[in-house]
Amino acid sequence: MRPVLMNPNPGYTIPINMTTRKKAIMDGLKAYGIPLEAGNGTTTGTYNTQLVLNLLYQLTGANGGDPDWANLAPPGPVLVPTLILYFSTNTAMKYGNARGTLIDNYGEYCSYCGMPVQDSSLAVEHCLPKQVFPSVMLNYDNFFLSCPNCNSNKGAKPTWTDSFNWASFYNGTPTSVQDVMDGGMDRQMWPDSGETAWEGLPVVYWNVTSNSRLSNNSALDLGNQLAGVSQNIVYARIIGFAQPQAVAALIGTYGYNDPKVQATEDNFIAIVNLNQFEANNYSDRRVTNRTIVWLNCITSLRNLSKFTVGSEGWNLMLGQIFQTAKNAGFFEIWSWIFYTLYGPTTPVPIYNIFRTVSCDPTQPLYYFPGTDINDLPTQ
Ligand SMILES: [Zn+2]
């Protein structure tokens, strides 16, 4: 589930009730020259009530914010860009004011791909796009943080049509925008390590050279090494192969028994383009960086294995590895590898320590805001 908002930022005020929202919409329309006031848009100070009501009907439905799915047609092409412009730029009302709160909650990571991104490059992303779902344009629950690549790939998707697929964990047809939004809250890689990155979308290690999947045993062998990165493609020495192989750590949806869930997850990956890796595509480092993190994690564990478990050197090095994990991002890679190789039932308690320090705000190595320790399995 989406983490609890831990540090609300008073700088972002959600126009939650109809009175506030109506005024905000009215002010926005006025600011961009759309006359809604009585007297043909002159400065009478009173609103054309019927016009406002019709407008709000379009935007929010009849019941004050949660429109009936069937009754909410996508609003008109002129109105929506006007509203978006207003709520992008109005100092007091813009949705961008939620960014500080989101960073407090998520850390400086992209919610979709898990990549660390500097504050200034993180966009306030609308899970349900504001162009298609203007009625949730200002709802905090509809916000994620996004890196430039995920943001541009996703664009105004999901569309009205494929939002049914986007809203995962629903086996039936969503009946309201709220239903779609509730499903949309699970549409992130980070920090939802419980339902999405952990169980729903495990990492799949791919041998690009032979176009085949690497088994976990092969991919996580401590003898593997990063060989180099060329033209944005990662090469690795993988145990069992004489030559370096081009490899990629992909977001997978293997193992589902339910074809609808499979289709939903495939839809998510395709919309955000989470598995895109192309030679010479230097603008998109998401898969490249995720793949490097896999191999760096293996290297770290190989080096750590030279120390006696629990010794001072081992503890020091483990702390450094966790610090590296924080800086490198892609939490699902680290947690998954720790769990697979040194999980709760193994004598080396790396996963258990990681689980604790990454999720407990009282620990000095706590560094993943929003991570719910209960999302990480204990066995
Ligand atoms: Zn991203």
Side-chain angles (χ1 to χ4, degrees), residues 110-115 117 145-151 272 274 286:
C110 173
S111 305
Y112 289 124
C113 68
M115 193 159 69
V117 184
L145 290 168
S146 175
C147 74
N149 281 321
C150 286
N151 202 17
V272 189
L274 285 176
R286 292 174 298 171

Side-chain angles (χ1 to χ4, degrees), residues 38-90:
N40 197 25
T42 57
T43 54
T44 63
T46 55
Y47 297 128
N48 180 329
T49 305
Q50 193 54 51
L51 200 48
V52 172
L53 286 178
N54 289 345
L55 170 63
L56 292 174
Y57 227 107
Q58 272 191 300
L59 284 171
T60 63
N63 57 357
D66 296 325
D68 293 334
W69 178 262
N71 291 338
L72 184 68
V78 175
L79 175 61
V80 173
T82 305
L83 291 171
I84 290 173
L85 184 60
Y86 177 70
F87 289 117
S88 304
T89 54
N90 182 283

Side-chain angles (χ1 to χ4, degrees), residues 197-278:
W198 184 267
E199 293 170 331
L201 297 167
V203 179
V204 169
Y205 303 97
W206 199 257
N207 185 330
V208 178
T209 299
S210 64
N211 196 30
S212 61
R213 187 180 178 182
L214 287 165
S215 70
N216 276 353
N217 279 345
S218 174
L220 303 186
D221 191 296
L222 291 192
N224 294 338
Q225 293 191 58
L226 178 67
V229 181
S230 175
Q231 299 177 337
N232 225 16
I233 299 292
V234 178
Y235 293 86
R237 300 183 189 283
I238 302 291
I239 293 296
F241 292 89
Q243 300 297 325
Q245 305 288 296
V247 292
L250 304 180
I251 303 302
T253 60
Y254 288 79
Y256 281 117
N257 294 321
D258 183 339
K260 178 168 174 49
V261 176
Q262 176 88 54
T264 301
E265 299 297 13
D266 288 343
N267 169 271
F268 169 62
I269 291 169
I271 280 181
V272 189
N273 224 335
L274 285 176
N275 282 341
Q276 174 172 299
F277 58 99
E278 296 176 62

